[in-house]
Amino acid sequence: MIEVKNLVKKYGSHLAVDHLNFTVESGKIYGFLGPNGAGKSTTMNIMTGYIGATEGDVLIDGHSISDEPEEAKKRIGYLPEIPPLYIDMKVIEYLKFAAELKGIEKGKRAKAITDAMQLTRISDVQGRLIKNLSKGYRQRVGLAQAVLGLPEVIILDEPTVGLDPKQIIEIRDMIKKLGKKHTVILSSHIMQEVSAVCDEVMIISHGKMVACDTPARLEKIMEDTSKIIVKSNADANSVSNILNTVPSIASVSVKKNEETGTVEAVVTTNTNEDVRERIFKAFAENDASLLELYSHKMSLEDVFIKLTSGSKKETEKVKRHTIKKKDEDADKEGEA
Amino acid sequence: MNAVYKRDLKSYFSNMIGCLYIAFIVALVGIYFSFYNMGNGYPYFGDVLNSISYIVFLALPILTMRSFSDEIRTGTDQILYTSKASITRIVMGKYMAMVTVFGIAMGILCFCPLIIATCGSHDFKVDYSCILAVFLIGAAYIALGMFISSLTESNIIAAVLTFGVLLLLQMMTGITSFIPTTSLASFVGCIIAVIAVSVIYYTLAANVIIASGLGVTGTIALVVLYFVKKSVYASLIPNVLNKIPLTDSLNNFSLKTFDVTAIIYYISVAVLFIFLTTQSIQKKRYS
């Protein structure tokens, strides 16, 4: 549906987007994740044709945004970070203007506007001036403008910023509903939002793609590198000794909590196997009590922080895994 | 184009700027009209309009200042440039909306010659050709104001800059009288102009070779010309500068000459600045 090829954007000497490549399939919700200044908005602005790229191209359904802007742009609905609203207009006037600007046929405009207003639940404010609306409603009017005429691709730049929790949930539900029939790309720096809404997550940092996979898989990949936490009543030495007898354990660090009198050990392994069962058995054999035993699972938030804080090794690892998993998937599909 | 045109036109009347401009022009011309034409029985409306046209033009920045700078400031340009409408169509839509507001004011002035006709002698041809000339000059200045507005996101800067340029144009004849008419002065002026053009080219295109080539060949050509045919330079700069203000040819219309060259000049200036506006927007998208 969308192909981003070798995209580069320079602002003077600053490289905002650095040779970005990715493909977006139709009928999925994509999350564009990255810290402030990572190049999310710039990439979205290039994808929608608002600004031009220094190098590279974006193909929307096979149409280049730079060579065939008209064909490409009519397939996209875009809600920028700040909704592009004319505050001196009434909601209905604004949507009529947007419909005409988007080139929706005259006969279909009224229905398209009604549908967009129903979807974003703004029918009751249609007669009000946009300047008198609250931030939440303004965001919805912006969203209504983006979904007007139900374009194939809907791009939303931080659609829930500045909204109250109830509105956030409503907008998320709306996005989920849209994702059933359309390709939706949304940018955010809120992890829960992305893991709750998106089918695929693209993490971008310093203008580069650092990972692209489903939220669950990204967590899984990072879990492979995870640690195991052991809590016990036994004394520090015996905990350390017991753990050292377990095969495939790479390192053990034991810390005694003086307040509770318990010992906490952080164990790292040198395989991808789950060694929790062996640890449990080792403690049982030594008749030592085990209060807690769990693998330190990274949330998408941890993954994000780890990937975007510049740990090159981690980034490479995730990239390798992502590519490997994708290849496996492709092989499976091929076999099927 | 239609959507942008309709929206902008409506906005000029919903935020009063359009009404204010029209009211200002009608009141101003109305006062002069009632004083000279009605009170003194002077039958030529064209003359009266010409004599106060500079105020009509100097008030134009209040129409043009918001055209693009407001869109940039509020971020609404995003909906325009991400829509399937091309930039030329968007610029034309905005331009036509401003020209329409100005046209309404000029349209109201069209009643003045009719009022004069009811009182006795009149010359419709001269009066209406003067109104047409003022309208076309206004349309060209609107394009200039729109171009300036596309360069900045501040309404105030756009308004002040446009006002400054228009004022400079109005005072051009006075200024040029201070410039020496000798060949040497014009020769130096031409060299400065060539260097300025190559510097501007360099800042826009960042191409050292072409910019320096332009500067060097231009200077050599000017120097050669100066030694071969010095007389070309006599009063060259003042003459060229005097031709720049569009209002210079306005008197021809009230002297019963329908100056077609002037009309073509006005339209060309408007087209040039519309083109420059699209270029300035494109440049912003790529920098």
Side-chain angles (χ1 to χ4, degrees), chain A residues 53-285:
Chain A
T54 314
E55 265 176 55
D57 202 359
V58 177
L59 299 180
I60 314 284
D61 213 4
H63 301 280
S64 157
I65 195 86
S66 52
D67 300 334
E68 307 165 78
E70 210 167 299
E71 278 301 311
K73 282 176 184 175
K74 75 176 182 196
R75 289 171 164 77
I76 303 175
Y78 180 38
L79 170 65
E81 206 172 344
I82 301 159
L85 305 173
Y86 292 99
I87 55 167
D88 57 349
M89 288 175 109
K90 287 177 182 165
V91 173
I92 185 84
E93 283 174 347
Y94 174 72
L95 291 177
K96 276 182 187 166
F97 159 72
E100 197 176 343
L101 190 69
K102 283 168 180 247
I104 298 171
E105 283 170 47
K106 216 170 181 181
K108 293 178 184 166
R109 267 179 224 161
K111 193 183 175 300
I113 293 170
T114 319
D115 288 350
M117 285 198 299
Q118 266 170 4
L119 187 74
T120 51
R121 291 194 222 152
I122 51 168
S123 307
D124 49 335
V125 295
Q126 56 175 291
R128 282 174 62 183
L129 281 174
I130 296 176
K131 67 175 158 202
N132 296 335
L133 294 180
S134 68
K135 186 164 169 49
Y137 267 108
R138 286 186 188 195
Q139 193 77 12
R140 285 189 210 192
V141 177
L143 196 60
Q145 165 273 125
V147 301
L148 210 56
L150 297 172
E152 292 152 61
V153 184
I154 295 166
I155 299 180
L156 312 169
D157 197 353
E158 306 198 355
T160 56
V161 161
L163 302 184
D164 68 42
K166 190 171 162 262
Q167 289 169 332
I168 291 179
I169 291 167
E170 275 179 10
I171 296 236
R172 275 185 203 164
D173 289 343
M174 226 178 282
I175 293 168
K176 273 188 200 163
K177 219 190 273 175
L178 284 171
K180 284 177 190 155
K181 284 184 189 164
H182 308 266
T183 308
V184 181
I185 304 175
L186 67 98
S187 82
S188 180
H189 44 238
I190 308 164
M191 311 312 130
Q192 298 96 315
E193 183 165 284
V194 169
S195 49
V197 176
C198 301
D199 303 314
E200 293 253 348
V201 182
M202 295 187 268
I203 300 182
I204 178 169
S205 174
H206 303 295
K208 278 186 175 168
M209 178 82 73
V210 287
C212 175
D213 217 322
T214 62
R217 263 201 211 145
L218 279 177
E219 283 171 20
K220 180 85 176 48
I221 293 163
M222 296 307 281
E223 197 188 339
D224 291 347
T225 69
S226 66
K227 300 161 187 165
I228 292 167
I229 316 288
V230 181
K231 237 182 209 176
S232 170
N233 258 345
D235 63 273
N237 271 342
S238 47
V239 168
S240 166
N241 289 338
I242 296 167
L243 285 171
N244 280 325
T245 59
V246 180
S248 21
I249 282 184
S251 73
V252 179
S253 78
V254 185
K255 213 170 83 186
K256 186 163 175 137
N257 187 331
E258 296 296 340
E259 269 178 44
T260 54
T262 55
V263 171
E264 191 180 291
V266 180
V267 179
T268 55
T269 59
N270 51 18
T271 64
N272 284 336
E273 292 168 58
D274 193 351
V275 294
R276 280 177 298 180
E277 203 178 330
R278 285 186 214 152
I279 294 176
F280 169 74
K281 279 182 179 159
F283 271 80
E285 277 164 17

Side-chain angles (χ1 to χ4, degrees), chain B residues 118-191:
Chain B
T118 59
C119 305
S121 81
H122 58 274
D123 193 339
F124 281 151
K125 270 187 195 164
V126 172
D127 288 348
Y128 284 115
S129 62
C130 280
I131 295 176
L132 176 72
V134 170
F135 171 70
L136 290 177
I137 295 173
Y141 284 162
I142 287 172
L144 168 75
M146 177 174 75
F147 168 64
I148 294 175
S149 175
S150 74
L151 300 174
T152 166
E153 47 185 276
S154 156
N155 292 343
I156 304 295
I157 292 176
V160 172
L161 264 179
T162 314
F163 182 80
V165 173
L166 291 179
L167 194 66
L168 193 72
L169 287 174
Q170 289 298 336
M171 299 193 307
M172 195 62 97
T173 330
I175 294 169
T176 49
S177 64
F178 291 110
I179 298 175
T181 52
T182 61
S183 299
L184 183 66
S186 290
F187 169 65
V188 173
C190 286
I191 288 187

